[in-house]
Amino acid sequence: MEPRLIRLEEKVTYLEAYVGELDAVVREMHDRVDRYRGQIESLRALVERGGADGRDGAGDSDTDLEEDKPPHW
């Protein structure tokens, strides 16, 4: 077999493997985008409802801030 043909076959084999790897990466990124899109929609709905506990921001802001401190405080 000609050396030129052998080199071409090697390149095709390499490129097929590379395309397979890129395809796996693109699929993973697509799945991530879908998950992030769902999370964003959930957060958007939560914000539109006024928060997780239904408060609309009314009330004593100092008391609300004290209650909303993260657990590590």
Side-chain angles (χ1 to χ4, degrees), residues 3-22:
R4 181 174 175 251
L5 185 58
I6 292 172
R7 283 194 312 270
L8 287 174
E9 288 180 346
E10 288 172 351
K11 285 184 179 186
V12 167
T13 302
Y14 170 77
L15 289 173
E16 285 176 340
Y18 189 65
V19 167
E21 291 172 14
L22 288 176

Side-chain angles (χ1 to χ4, degrees), residues 8-41:
L8 287 174
E9 288 180 346
E10 288 172 351
K11 285 184 179 186
V12 167
T13 302
Y14 170 77
L15 289 173
E16 285 176 340
Y18 189 65
V19 167
E21 291 172 14
L22 288 176
D23 183 57
V25 170
V26 169
R27 287 176 188 260
E28 180 185 340
M29 298 309 283
H30 182 269
D31 292 342
R32 284 186 187 184
V33 167
D34 282 346
R35 277 196 316 272
Y36 293 152
R37 184 175 288 134
Q39 291 173 351
I40 289 170
E41 291 302 320

